[in-house]
Amino acid sequence: MRYLVISDIHGNLEAFKAVLKASKKDRFDKVIFLGDVVGYGADPSKVCKLLKEISPICVMGNHDASVLNPKLLSWFNPYARFALEWTAEHLTENCKNYMREFPEKTKLDDMLIVHSNPYKPQSWEYILSRLDALFYFQKTSEKVILFGHTHIPVVYEYNPESENAASVSPVGREIQLDIENMRYMLNPGSVGQPRDNDPRAAYGILDTDKWTFTVKRVDYDIEKAAQKIIEAGLPQFLAHRLYTGE
Ligand code: ZN
């Protein structure tokens, strides 16, 4: 199977459309979405509707969960909280009902799919380093774990023999996974709000026949997405950061 693996769209319709258009040439069979449909961006309902149309395997993101349950808002910084309150007001009931069905994690053969981390998904703790990854490898047993949340594309490889982990960037190159001997955590980066200093939208292609993973980048109309954020009355910072990918 070939999977389009996407995460953290965050209400950015322009970025999402660009990813769907560009990834057509990658001829995937199915979409895996790692959470955070909404938050930050100005098009939560349109993004949600488009996501539903491509019927992906989904998990719940922290922004998604907070739009559905305002008690969780205290977790966020003031910018994110403001955007989430705005999103809760503007998101259609249809979308909310669709998102309520998202599980906190899901399994696909020997792959585990989560938003933040595979051990306590709803703690929303980040996996930001090789050492973080090592901790979570030792708390789990699946061969492959797909995660998002950090908005940074990465491959972590765990060697069960040496009990050590290494990291490598999958951006712009195909990483061959040694599925017989190693275990992996894969992050495709963010569609709608990249934070690795590359403002282009990111998406992953995972081939489970050849066991390869690659992350591709695609230009999109940042100007339009940023303008919509400002026109909606959302914090300007959320528009400006799209230009730098921070
Ligand atoms: Zn996110």
Side-chain angles (χ1 to χ4, degrees), residues 154-155 167-177 203-205 212-217:
V154 70
V155 169
S167 71
V168 59
S169 169
V171 178
R173 58 188 171 139
E174 196 170 75
I175 305 292
Q176 180 65 55
L177 309 181
Y203 68 93
I205 296 291
T212 56
F213 181 66
T214 183
V215 170
K216 302 189 177 189
R217 305 306 284 259

mmCIF file of all heavy atoms in Angstrom, residues 154-155 167-177 203-205 212-217:
data_model
loop_
_atom_site.group_PDB
_atom_site.id
_atom_site.type_symbol
_atom_site.label_atom_id
_atom_site.label_comp_id
_atom_site.label_asym_id
_atom_site.label_seq_id
_atom_site.Cartn_x
_atom_site.Cartn_y
_atom_site.Cartn_z
ATOM 1 N N VAL A 154 10.512 14.318 10.309
ATOM 2 C CA VAL A 154 11.683 13.576 10.831
ATOM 3 C C VAL A 154 11.429 12.070 10.755
ATOM 4 O O VAL A 154 10.280 11.621 10.754
ATOM 5 C CB VAL A 154 12.008 14.011 12.295
ATOM 6 C CG1 VAL A 154 10.949 13.523 13.266
ATOM 7 C CG2 VAL A 154 13.386 13.540 12.744
ATOM 8 N N VAL A 155 12.526 11.327 10.676
ATOM 9 C CA VAL A 155 12.485 9.872 10.849
ATOM 10 C C VAL A 155 13.371 9.543 12.047
ATOM 11 O O VAL A 155 14.548 9.920 12.069
ATOM 12 C CB VAL A 155 13.035 9.141 9.596
ATOM 13 C CG1 VAL A 155 13.253 7.658 9.881
ATOM 14 C CG2 VAL A 155 12.091 9.314 8.416
ATOM 15 N N SER A 167 18.316 9.940 14.356
ATOM 16 C CA SER A 167 17.322 10.683 13.583
ATOM 17 C C SER A 167 17.899 11.071 12.229
ATOM 18 O O SER A 167 19.109 11.268 12.085
ATOM 19 C CB SER A 167 16.870 11.940 14.336
ATOM 20 O OG SER A 167 17.895 12.893 14.348
ATOM 21 N N VAL A 168 17.011 11.158 11.238
ATOM 22 C CA VAL A 168 17.429 11.544 9.899
ATOM 23 C C VAL A 168 16.293 12.339 9.264
ATOM 24 O O VAL A 168 15.129 12.126 9.599
ATOM 25 C CB VAL A 168 17.822 10.284 9.067
ATOM 26 C CG1 VAL A 168 16.672 9.318 8.944
ATOM 27 C CG2 VAL A 168 18.335 10.660 7.690
ATOM 28 N N SER A 169 16.640 13.282 8.390
ATOM 29 C CA SER A 169 15.594 14.065 7.722
ATOM 30 C C SER A 169 15.116 13.348 6.467
ATOM 31 O O SER A 169 15.921 12.968 5.622
ATOM 32 C CB SER A 169 16.116 15.448 7.342
ATOM 33 O OG SER A 169 15.153 16.059 6.486
ATOM 34 N N PRO A 170 13.800 13.185 6.329
ATOM 35 C CA PRO A 170 13.254 12.538 5.133
ATOM 36 C C PRO A 170 12.842 13.554 4.056
ATOM 37 O O PRO A 170 12.209 13.192 3.074
ATOM 38 C CB PRO A 170 12.008 11.838 5.680
ATOM 39 C CG PRO A 170 11.539 12.751 6.781
ATOM 40 C CD PRO A 170 12.755 13.462 7.331
ATOM 41 N N VAL A 171 13.201 14.832 4.245
ATOM 42 C CA VAL A 171 12.724 15.866 3.314
ATOM 43 C C VAL A 171 13.489 15.772 1.998
ATOM 44 O O VAL A 171 14.723 15.872 1.971
ATOM 45 C CB VAL A 171 12.874 17.284 3.905
ATOM 46 C CG1 VAL A 171 12.412 18.335 2.886
ATOM 47 C CG2 VAL A 171 12.082 17.418 5.188
ATOM 48 N N GLY A 172 12.746 15.556 0.919
ATOM 49 C CA GLY A 172 13.346 15.553 -0.416
ATOM 50 C C GLY A 172 14.141 14.309 -0.738
ATOM 51 O O GLY A 172 14.835 14.265 -1.748
ATOM 52 N N ARG A 173 14.088 13.289 0.114
ATOM 53 C CA ARG A 173 14.767 12.031 -0.242
ATOM 54 C C ARG A 173 14.011 10.849 0.343
ATOM 55 O O ARG A 173 13.331 10.966 1.373
ATOM 56 C CB ARG A 173 16.211 12.027 0.234
ATOM 57 C CG ARG A 173 16.361 12.217 1.725
ATOM 58 C CD ARG A 173 17.819 12.383 2.056
ATOM 59 N NE ARG A 173 17.991 12.783 3.434
ATOM 60 C CZ ARG A 173 18.942 12.284 4.211
ATOM 61 N NH1 ARG A 173 19.758 11.375 3.750
ATOM 62 N NH2 ARG A 173 19.062 12.705 5.441
ATOM 63 N N GLU A 174 14.169 9.729 -0.351
ATOM 64 C CA GLU A 174 13.457 8.533 0.068
ATOM 65 C C GLU A 174 14.299 7.784 1.098
ATOM 66 O O GLU A 174 15.432 7.423 0.831
ATOM 67 C CB GLU A 174 13.225 7.664 -1.173
ATOM 68 C CG GLU A 174 12.183 6.612 -0.972
ATOM 69 C CD GLU A 174 11.824 5.945 -2.294
ATOM 70 O OE1 GLU A 174 12.638 5.136 -2.780
ATOM 71 O OE2 GLU A 174 10.750 6.250 -2.830
ATOM 72 N N ILE A 175 13.721 7.566 2.266
ATOM 73 C CA ILE A 175 14.424 6.820 3.317
ATOM 74 C C ILE A 175 13.986 5.357 3.245
ATOM 75 O O ILE A 175 12.785 5.062 3.297
ATOM 76 C CB ILE A 175 14.092 7.383 4.717
ATOM 77 C CG1 ILE A 175 14.387 8.892 4.807
ATOM 78 C CG2 ILE A 175 14.826 6.602 5.803
ATOM 79 C CD1 ILE A 175 15.834 9.281 4.747
ATOM 80 N N GLN A 176 14.953 4.482 3.105
ATOM 81 C CA GLN A 176 14.656 3.042 3.113
ATOM 82 C C GLN A 176 14.580 2.564 4.569
ATOM 83 O O GLN A 176 15.550 2.699 5.320
ATOM 84 C CB GLN A 176 15.749 2.285 2.347
ATOM 85 C CG GLN A 176 15.523 0.774 2.303
ATOM 86 C CD GLN A 176 14.264 0.400 1.514
ATOM 87 O OE1 GLN A 176 14.121 0.788 0.363
ATOM 88 N NE2 GLN A 176 13.349 -0.340 2.135
ATOM 89 N N LEU A 177 13.440 2.032 4.961
ATOM 90 C CA LEU A 177 13.287 1.544 6.331
ATOM 91 C C LEU A 177 13.741 0.076 6.399
ATOM 92 O O LEU A 177 13.352 -0.724 5.551
ATOM 93 C CB LEU A 177 11.825 1.677 6.785
ATOM 94 C CG LEU A 177 11.157 3.048 6.584
ATOM 95 C CD1 LEU A 177 9.720 3.015 7.120
ATOM 96 C CD2 LEU A 177 11.940 4.162 7.264
ATOM 97 N N TYR A 203 4.180 17.081 3.052
ATOM 98 C CA TYR A 203 3.391 15.844 3.115
ATOM 99 C C TYR A 203 4.320 14.646 2.968
ATOM 100 O O TYR A 203 5.404 14.745 2.386
ATOM 101 C CB TYR A 203 2.284 15.819 2.058
ATOM 102 C CG TYR A 203 2.733 15.720 0.617
ATOM 103 C CD1 TYR A 203 2.841 14.484 -0.021
ATOM 104 C CD2 TYR A 203 3.024 16.866 -0.123
ATOM 105 C CE1 TYR A 203 3.229 14.391 -1.362
ATOM 106 C CE2 TYR A 203 3.419 16.778 -1.453
ATOM 107 C CZ TYR A 203 3.522 15.536 -2.064
ATOM 108 O OH TYR A 203 3.911 15.453 -3.380
ATOM 109 N N GLY A 204 3.878 13.511 3.530
ATOM 110 C CA GLY A 204 4.690 12.304 3.488
ATOM 111 C C GLY A 204 4.082 11.261 2.565
ATOM 112 O O GLY A 204 2.861 11.201 2.395
ATOM 113 N N ILE A 205 4.960 10.440 1.967
ATOM 114 C CA ILE A 205 4.513 9.274 1.201
ATOM 115 C C ILE A 205 5.173 8.049 1.831
ATOM 116 O O ILE A 205 6.402 7.954 1.896
ATOM 117 C CB ILE A 205 4.902 9.380 -0.296
ATOM 118 C CG1 ILE A 205 4.187 10.568 -0.963
ATOM 119 C CG2 ILE A 205 4.578 8.075 -1.027
ATOM 120 C CD1 ILE A 205 2.675 10.413 -1.137
ATOM 121 N N THR A 212 9.411 2.383 2.255
ATOM 122 C CA THR A 212 10.127 3.647 2.072
ATOM 123 C C THR A 212 9.259 4.784 2.583
ATOM 124 O O THR A 212 8.023 4.686 2.588
ATOM 125 C CB THR A 212 10.444 3.910 0.584
ATOM 126 O OG1 THR A 212 9.227 3.872 -0.163
ATOM 127 C CG2 THR A 212 11.436 2.905 0.031
ATOM 128 N N PHE A 213 9.912 5.856 3.016
ATOM 129 C CA PHE A 213 9.196 7.042 3.486
ATOM 130 C C PHE A 213 9.920 8.272 2.979
ATOM 131 O O PHE A 213 11.148 8.364 3.037
ATOM 132 C CB PHE A 213 9.150 7.065 5.013
ATOM 133 C CG PHE A 213 8.411 8.248 5.601
ATOM 134 C CD1 PHE A 213 7.040 8.401 5.414
ATOM 135 C CD2 PHE A 213 9.088 9.216 6.339
ATOM 136 C CE1 PHE A 213 6.352 9.488 5.960
ATOM 137 C CE2 PHE A 213 8.408 10.309 6.892
ATOM 138 C CZ PHE A 213 7.038 10.434 6.699
ATOM 139 N N THR A 214 9.149 9.207 2.445
ATOM 140 C CA THR A 214 9.747 10.453 1.984
ATOM 141 C C THR A 214 8.809 11.619 2.305
ATOM 142 O O THR A 214 7.600 11.436 2.376
ATOM 143 C CB THR A 214 10.060 10.388 0.469
ATOM 144 O OG1 THR A 214 10.706 11.585 0.070
ATOM 145 C CG2 THR A 214 8.815 10.223 -0.370
ATOM 146 N N VAL A 215 9.386 12.774 2.551
ATOM 147 C CA VAL A 215 8.576 13.982 2.780
ATOM 148 C C VAL A 215 8.852 14.969 1.660
ATOM 149 O O VAL A 215 10.008 15.253 1.335
ATOM 150 C CB VAL A 215 8.879 14.614 4.156
ATOM 151 C CG1 VAL A 215 8.207 15.993 4.277
ATOM 152 C CG2 VAL A 215 8.370 13.704 5.278
ATOM 153 N N LYS A 216 7.776 15.437 1.056
ATOM 154 C CA LYS A 216 7.898 16.393 -0.049
ATOM 155 C C LYS A 216 7.374 17.756 0.387
ATOM 156 O O LYS A 216 6.547 17.840 1.292
ATOM 157 C CB LYS A 216 7.119 15.871 -1.256
ATOM 158 C CG LYS A 216 7.618 14.500 -1.689
ATOM 159 C CD LYS A 216 7.033 14.052 -2.996
ATOM 160 C CE LYS A 216 7.642 12.702 -3.375
ATOM 161 N NZ LYS A 216 7.279 12.289 -4.738
ATOM 162 N N ARG A 217 7.854 18.793 -0.279
ATOM 163 C CA ARG A 217 7.420 20.149 0.028
ATOM 164 C C ARG A 217 6.776 20.759 -1.201
ATOM 165 O O ARG A 217 7.195 20.492 -2.326
ATOM 166 C CB ARG A 217 8.608 21.028 0.458
ATOM 167 C CG ARG A 217 9.406 20.470 1.612
ATOM 168 C CD ARG A 217 8.567 20.142 2.833
ATOM 169 N NE ARG A 217 8.162 21.293 3.606
ATOM 170 C CZ ARG A 217 8.744 21.692 4.742
ATOM 171 N NH1 ARG A 217 9.797 21.038 5.208
ATOM 172 N NH2 ARG A 217 8.271 22.729 5.413
#
